[in-house]
Amino acid sequence: MKKIAIFVDVQNIYYTCKQSLGGNFDYNAFWAQAKEYGQIEHAYAYATYRGDDKQTQFQNILRAIGFEVKLKPYIQRQDGSKKGDWDVGITIDMIEAAKSVDEVILLSGDGDFAILLAHLRNQYQVKSTVYGATKLTANLLIESCDDFIPINSSLLLSR
């Protein structure tokens, strides 16, 4: 059975689903789909920590589904700008996982990951699948993966 690893850029998926699809991503429906790819060896959800109860409940739901939740402090700078992305952490974890899996599944629309997917394919012969909101996923990322799965209503929570 094929071994897979899942990497979710939680903030990216949250905002792109809200903006382009008008809903919230359904992690349970996604998990059911992901299990069809093969044996889930690793599943990481990368989020920022703000300390509010609703966010903590959401993170506990992700853990109950099967994700290891990785948190980074949410930082608001003096100039009002915000920081909390996980690009480097996701990259390190994907390179490590590529040593022991056949496929990586990335949930993000961030074009910065395109070069990473090419590296994983060339260095480790790892296939990549990207889930993203079509309108807000970088073309470079779509072109760099083996399979692109557009997030649609079947992967959104019903209202």
Side-chain angles (χ1 to χ4, degrees):
M1 183 176 260
K2 182 168 50 171
K3 295 178 183 177
I4 62 171
I6 301 168
F7 305 87
V8 182
D9 184 347
V10 172
Q11 305 325 102
N12 183 285
I13 292 300
Y14 175 78
Y15 288 109
T16 58
C17 285
K18 276 285 199 201
Q19 286 179 343
S20 70
L21 301 168
N24 289 314
F25 189 74
D26 185 341
Y27 285 90
N28 282 305
F30 164 75
W31 192 266
Q33 273 190 19
K35 289 194 311 188
E36 294 176 14
Y37 285 93
Q39 176 64 39
I40 300 171
E41 297 289 316
H42 310 280
Y44 303 107
Y46 302 86
T48 55
Y49 178 74
R50 297 181 191 193
D52 67 64
D53 290 339
K54 190 172 182 178
Q55 189 179 49
T56 300
Q57 289 173 347
F58 169 69
Q59 292 159 358
N60 288 336
I61 290 168
L62 291 176
R63 288 182 185 98
I65 291 169
F67 289 97
E68 177 181 334
V69 177
K70 294 194 172 194
L71 298 173
K72 177 182 275 193
Y74 176 79
I75 298 168
Q76 183 152 357
R77 298 183 184 114
Q78 287 182 342
D79 67 1
S81 63
K82 300 168 182 137
K83 181 168 175 33
D85 75 61
W86 267 100
D87 290 6
V88 173
I90 293 170
T91 299
I92 290 168
D93 288 346
M94 286 181 86
I95 290 171
E96 287 302 309
K99 298 172 185 176
S100 63
V101 299
D102 304 302
E103 182 172 353
V104 294
I105 300 173
L106 174 65
L107 282 74
S108 181
D110 189 336
D112 290 342
F113 291 117
I115 193 168
L116 172 62
L117 298 183
H119 175 74
L120 297 180
R121 182 181 307 104
N122 295 333
Q123 188 70 31
Y124 301 101
Q125 294 71 53
V126 171
K127 183 181 174 188
S128 62
T129 298
V130 171
Y131 280 72
T134 304
K135 292 179 187 175
L136 296 174
T137 299
N139 285 334
L140 190 58
L141 183 60
I142 293 171
E143 293 165 5
S144 70
C145 65
D146 294 296
D147 291 309
F148 175 72
I149 311 294
I151 296 171
N152 58 35
S153 60
S154 70
L155 288 171
L156 295 180
L157 291 170
S158 45
R159 295 175 185 230

